[in-house]
Amino acid sequence: MSARAVELGAAIDWDVTLGNTLTSHRVLYWAGLVGGGGSSAGTAGASPSPVETAKGGCGPPGISTSTPTTPASAQLTVQERLARVLAEGHFTKGRSAADPEVLVSACVAVGLDEEDARRVVETPDRFRDEVLSTIDSLHRRGICSIPVFIFTLASTGEVLAEVHGARTEEDYSKVLRAIPRGRSIPV
């Protein structure tokens, strides 16, 4: 499966250490506040947790195709760049998004202040309530399937497939095999 992912322009490292990602969500929330990231529903100036943009519902998670989205070349906020650095590190370089040093390093890589980032990482309740409130709000709206992986065509940003919820390596293999045929395979 890893070879097929490389053919499609993605490298996947299956040997990453997993852990609780609440701190990474807190750091991403902070990045949205200091570097932009949008606004949460009805809260001027506040930034959504990355989970706020998750798609899907509380039914069985699945794989689906979707309509084209914004091209990959669109201007990204600091929060979005940080999310990409963390995702790339996790999925292609074996870096755990639960590791405090990985989080601080990723913040520095997107231009955030190292000392400020370290303070957020090392203060467990900093932005905890905001992130948990966002997650609770999403659950009330019927969104409870994370992670969500969106496979896009790099040249246009067209969404080729989405994978909702935790999946097996075989599930991802099915998605990668289905992409060239442009069809979805439910799991």
Side-chain angles (χ1 to χ4, degrees):
M1 196 207 37
S2 294
R4 181 66 184 124
V6 169
E7 286 176 26
L8 293 170
I12 301 173
D13 183 342
W14 296 105
D15 294 323
V16 68
T17 301
L18 301 178
N20 186 323
T21 59
L22 179 58
T23 299
S24 65
H25 288 281
R26 293 186 310 98
V27 168
L28 284 158
Y29 184 92
W30 165 71
L33 292 176
V34 299
S39 62
S40 106
T43 311
S47 176
S49 168
V51 295
E52 189 164 331
T53 59
K55 299 177 181 178
C58 284
I63 298 171
S64 64
T65 58
S66 185
T67 56
T69 60
T70 307
S73 61
Q75 182 68 20
L76 298 177
T77 65
V78 171
Q79 184 185 54
E80 292 166 331
R81 289 193 333 262
L82 178 59
R84 283 190 176 194
V85 167
L86 290 171
E88 179 182 323
H90 179 81
F91 293 106
T92 67
K93 299 175 181 168
R95 296 182 184 146
S96 173
D99 181 318
E101 291 308 314
V102 167
L103 291 171
V104 172
S105 175
C107 287
V108 170
V110 299
L112 294 168
D113 182 77
E114 181 176 357
E115 288 181 29
D116 290 344
R118 194 168 301 284
R119 275 193 290 278
V120 172
V121 167
E122 293 175 354
T123 308
D125 14 337
R126 185 110 184 251
F127 307 118
R128 180 183 181 277
D129 291 344
E130 293 87 336
V131 170
L132 293 178
S133 175
T134 299
I135 292 169
D136 184 54
S137 172
L138 290 168
H139 286 173
R140 286 193 309 272
R141 291 179 12 216
I143 300 170
C144 60
S145 180
I146 60 170
V148 175
F149 295 93
I150 302 172
F151 295 86
T152 61
L153 187 61
S155 61
T156 65
E158 176 186 358
V159 175
L160 301 174
E162 295 179 6
V163 180
H164 296 264
R167 295 293 176 190
T168 66
E169 186 173 341
E170 179 55 32
D171 293 336
Y172 288 103
S173 292
K174 289 178 185 178
V175 171
L176 294 173
R177 286 190 303 265
I179 287 175
R181 292 183 293 278
R183 64 187 182 105
S184 169
I185 300 175
V187 291

